[in-house]
Amino acid sequence: MLKTFKRLAATFLIAVFMIGTLSVTNAEAALPKPGNARFVGWDNNYSMFTSCSVRWNPVAGATQYQILLWWTDGSHPYTRRVGGDAIGYHFYNLQSNHVYAFYVRAIRGNTYSPWSNPVFITPWPKSCSFSLASSTDTRMKLNWTKIYGCNGYNVWLTTNPYGKWYWNLSTKTKCWYNSATVKYYRGSKLKTYTNYYVRIVSRRIRNGVFCTVPAPYYYYCQTGFRITKR
């Protein structure tokens, strides 16, 4: 009986040792996904939403990072590898009328980390036109270029393009709702002989919540208008 107990105890200890060794080996082999993957900013005004920078937190032990960029519908994929000392990447020649999704993962040998959370690169419409909705009142009809892959637009107005901007309205959550009629500015009807300036900001939803869409570094508005008749 004692010998049987010793054999069972020895077998148990060997099993514990092997399991412990395997768990340590697997933990050492695992790579966490890069944290805080983020959009940094658009280039200067010459890029017009065609080039930008992204970054992520470094992963200890990574020898490379793999970058994946594509349109939000999964088409037009672009992938590239950069060195393990990289903490960011610069994208050029983006199409300014599409939202992109960016991912990054760490690599060490044949070990790959999970992909980072998606980072949406969301340009604003490049231009906007306007016309009087009616010759008898001051309502203004706006039309702007579509941003494919976005979830609607926010319209902002101001009378001082270098000062504070005020939210005016939101469209429905489809990219092709690219027009709106502005009736009021800060709660009052639009006034004649007043200069108004317009920003159209694209929106993007993730997990049911609207993501932050960073503004360009530089002053930017799509158009301005002045009402001169009723």
Side-chain angles (χ1 to χ4, degrees):
M1 178 66 70
L2 182 60
K3 291 182 178 180
T4 302
F5 176 78
K6 288 182 177 179
R7 283 198 300 269
L8 290 173
T11 302
F12 175 76
L13 289 173
I14 292 171
V16 170
F17 175 75
M18 291 183 66
I19 292 171
T21 303
L22 288 174
S23 64
V24 170
T25 302
N26 289 338
E28 289 176 347
L31 281 174
K33 67 182 180 182
N36 196 25
R38 60 201 182 275
F39 176 87
V40 176
W42 298 103
D43 283 354
N44 60 29
N45 57 331
Y46 297 105
S47 75
M48 292 297 288
F49 305 109
T50 59
S51 60
C52 68
S53 297
V54 295
R55 287 187 182 175
W56 57 86
N57 291 350
V59 174
T63 57
Q64 287 184 311
Y65 294 97
Q66 184 179 12
I67 293 164
L68 174 63
L69 182 77
W70 52 20
W71 291 0
T72 52
D73 63 2
S75 65
H76 296 76
Y78 168 85
T79 184
R80 180 144 189 182
R81 293 191 183 193
V82 295
D85 58 345
I87 58 170
Y89 192 76
H90 205 97
F91 291 112
Y92 296 96
N93 300 318
L94 300 178
Q95 293 204 26
S96 61
N97 62 343
H98 277 272
V99 179
Y100 287 83
F102 154 72
Y103 303 79
V104 60
R105 64 179 175 180
I107 302 172
R108 183 178 62 223
N110 294 322
T111 302
Y112 294 78
S113 79
W115 289 104
S116 68
N117 293 329
V119 176
F120 294 116
I121 300 174
T122 310
W124 297 6
K126 290 176 67 173
S127 63
C128 177
S129 61
F130 61 92
S131 61
L132 282 172
S134 168
S135 60
T136 60
D137 59 39
T138 58
R139 293 179 300 161
M140 187 62 60
K141 179 69 175 293
L142 304 175
N143 290 273
W144 55 85
T145 51
K146 296 184 183 72
I147 302 295
Y148 297 97
C150 81
N151 299 113
Y153 309 86
N154 286 318
V155 178
W156 295 73
L157 261 67
T158 187
T159 55
N160 175 12
Y162 298 98
K164 185 174 181 179
W165 289 80
Y166 298 91
W167 175 87
N168 189 273
L169 60 88
S170 296
T171 68
K172 295 181 180 180
T173 58
K174 301 294 182 182
C175 69
W176 51 81
Y177 289 107
N178 63 323
S179 64
T181 299
V182 175
K183 303 177 182 179
Y184 303 98
Y185 174 67
R186 302 184 64 186
S188 300
K189 290 184 178 181
L190 300 180
K191 300 177 181 179
T192 55
Y193 306 105
T194 302
N195 293 327
Y196 297 95
Y197 300 87
V198 180
R199 274 180 175 170
I200 311 297
V201 180
S202 313
R203 298 185 297 174
R204 178 70 196 179
I205 297 175
R206 179 187 169 200
N207 297 329
V209 177
F210 285 105
C211 305
T212 299
V213 178
Y217 288 135
Y218 52 90
Y219 155 75
Y220 189 85
C221 74
Q222 285 90 337
T223 191
F225 61 84
R226 181 178 176 87
I227 301 172
T228 57
K229 65 178 180 179
R230 289 187 180 274

